[in-house]
Amino acid sequence: MFRGLWKLTWLETKIFMREPMGAVGSIIVPVLVFLGVGRLMGTQIAASSVAAAGFLRVGLPVFATVLIALNGVLSLVTIISIYREGGILRRLRATPLRPQTILTAHVLVKLALTLATMALMVAAGKRYYPINVDAPVFGFAMALLISTWSILSIGFLIASIVPTARFAQPIGGAILYPMLGFCGLFVPLESLPPKLHAVARMLPLTYAVSLMQGIWKGEAWSLHIGDIAVLVLIFAICTALSAKVFRWE
Amino acid sequence: MGMCATPRPVIEVSGIRKTYGATVAVSEVSFEVGEGEIFGLIGPNGAGKTTTMECVEGVRRPDRGEISILGLDPFRDVYQLQNRIGVQLQQAQLQKRIKVWEAVDLWASLYTKTVDADRLLEQLGLSGKRNAWFMNLSGGQKQRLFIALALINDPEVVFLDELTTGLDPQARRAIWELVRGIRDRGKTVFMTTHLMEEAERLCDRVAIIEHGRIIEIGTPEDLVRRHCPERTVLLATDHTLAEERLRTILTIETVTRRDSQFTLEGKGDDFVTEVIQCLSENRIRVTNFRTELPNLEDVFLKLTGHSIRD
């Protein structure tokens, strides 16, 4: 069923690293931006306000993580649509490879990249981040894995149907970025008006943020069973749907 | 079942039809491909060649009709089938930065049976390009890589769609040699082309398809014989009675003369022989003698009323 998965995953990782902006754009730049913003805010505002310090301690790290994950999703959508448009999927179709294998390989590549970026961020953060953050790194990595896997499955679904590479980025962005506004990162969910609160509860990203923020703050996993259930459900639905609607060309 | 029927068909297609919206891509298409032959589907672009081929490969499902390949149903048994066939697609691409050896290695990991990858690359003249990225290969090299990928699983049937389109004549000839080599190793080759010369030089049998329908099937020679019996002889002679004598040939239709140059047109396989006999009986000394035989291009023109390039 998944014949060729590991070879394809490894191959796609290598190919991605060969892209001119592959490694630099997806790993180095986010870490630098994260450190830059942290330093800027750290030296200027951290001491002056409790809210700012809170943002630096929890908000910014989680926000950076979410951005990296979303970046991965958009990159997945773009790559699959380029493959479709360029006839690469057409060629792969005429082999015993199955669409699930191809998508899974790309998801694994993005997961690995997200985790690598995360690891680098933690390592760099320990040394250069202005505020000492004491977060459960392993637990957070798990939360990140579950969240990214689930959000990637949305990318999976978008990638299955987006017609051309030119539309991939905007369509993916239009679906994913608005979620950022209501996911509880900037404004606590409880302070949203009831209607927007309802909207927020419909968005998958809300649950990912809730899970990651909670684990980062050191909350127990048992408090987030609901988040995990929703994320797994999203994964199941998106995967099943994308297998149905997957377009080779 | 004519004289061309082959002992054991590996592909049997009967009455398939495929529409895209209101457009009928193929209709009532039926043919058989015998084991070990090179079978060509020929016709202009948009005639339905690729659609027909993709239905047989199991990539597309016909709206109607039956297809059997290697005893399998191409749509229902698609994964089983793909393990046993090799496919080269028109306008396919690979990842820009995949290396030649990596592509072959990936493909090899997908099949239950594989041939030696290094030897295959060597046979296709790609050994020196093992570490080159796909995007840096020339058109001919890309095409040879696609042939390598189509052969990596030692397939029983090889599909080649517009194999040499966009290649220069030299690369084209090299690829033809390769395809003959595939057949000589006992494989069945199913190809499409809009190049009549390619079909004539390569195919054991051809089916001419136009507007989604097959209008004729046979060996290239057979089609030419059946549809284009016209023969033309061009000769040069100073013999004073030449024209008079040549006109006595029974199968001759027209004689055109320009000074010492004659153009003789007649019908049937015996025409050329009769011209030679006439020349020899009358001791007519010729300084030039050339025959012009019709080819598949002429057959196509005759059957459809237009050139394949229109």
Side-chain angles (χ1 to χ4, degrees), chain A residues 26-60:
Chain A
S26 65
I27 299 181
I28 312 288
V29 170
V31 173
L32 289 181
V33 170
F34 165 69
L35 288 178
V37 173
R39 277 202 109 66
L40 211 67
M41 295 185 75
T43 45
Q44 316 234 322
I45 359 179
S48 64
S49 127
V50 181
F55 179 73
L56 279 180
R57 196 162 286 123
V58 182
L60 185 58

Side-chain angles (χ1 to χ4, degrees), chain A residues 62-77:
Chain A
V62 175
F63 177 54
T65 312
V66 169
L67 275 189
I68 293 163
L70 287 188
N71 204 14
V73 176
L74 284 184
S75 157
L76 171 88
V77 174

Side-chain angles (χ1 to χ4, degrees), chain A residues 70 72-82 84 89 103 150-165 167-179 204 237-239 241-243 245-247:
Chain A
L70 287 188
V73 176
L74 284 184
S75 157
L76 171 88
V77 174
T78 309
I79 290 180
I80 295 291
S81 58
I82 289 174
R84 180 181 296 119
L89 287 184
L103 283 169
S150 181
I151 303 171
L152 276 172
S153 75
I154 304 173
F156 222 83
L157 185 58
I158 303 173
S160 297
I161 47 180
V162 166
T164 65
F167 288 115
Q169 202 87 18
I171 290 179
I175 294 175
L176 295 171
Y177 283 131
M179 293 191 198
I237 293 174
C238 288
T239 312
L241 269 180
S242 64
V245 299
F246 188 78
R247 293 197 344 205

Side-chain angles (χ1 to χ4, degrees), chain A residues 3-4 7-8 11-12 14-15 18-20 83 86-88 90-99 249, chain B residues 54 59-60 79 82 87 89-90 92-95 97-99 102 105-107 109-112 133 146 149:
Chain A
R3 189 181 263 273
K7 195 145 259 175
L8 187 61
L11 198 52
E12 291 293 352
K14 286 197 284 185
I15 291 171
R18 287 172 194 159
E19 298 275 339
Y83 279 21
I88 299 170
R90 238 167 77 79
R91 184 62 195 89
L92 292 175
R93 182 187 198 179
T95 68
L97 262 184
R98 306 191 179 198
E249 50 191 301
Chain B
E54 286 179 342
V59 165
R60 243 170 250 295
Y79 292 110
Q82 273 162 354
V87 172
L89 298 170
Q90 192 182 349
Q93 293 288 327
L94 292 180
Q95 293 90 323
R97 292 179 174 79
I98 196 171
K99 290 179 182 173
E102 288 171 338
D105 187 47
L106 172 67
W107 254 250
S109 75
L110 302 176
Y111 297 95
T112 45
W133 287 351
F146 280 123
L149 298 181

Side-chain angles (χ1 to χ4, degrees), chain B residues 17 42 100 136 201 219 232:
Chain B
R17 179 188 172 85
I42 61 179
V100 166
N136 293 334
R201 287 180 182 236
T219 66
T232 306

Side-chain angles (χ1 to χ4, degrees), chain B residues 239-253:
Chain B
H239 198 285
T240 45
L241 293 174
E243 184 167 356
E244 191 184 316
R245 297 278 189 262
L246 287 166
R247 282 189 188 282
T248 63
I249 298 171
L250 284 175
T251 49
I252 207 158
E253 294 196 325

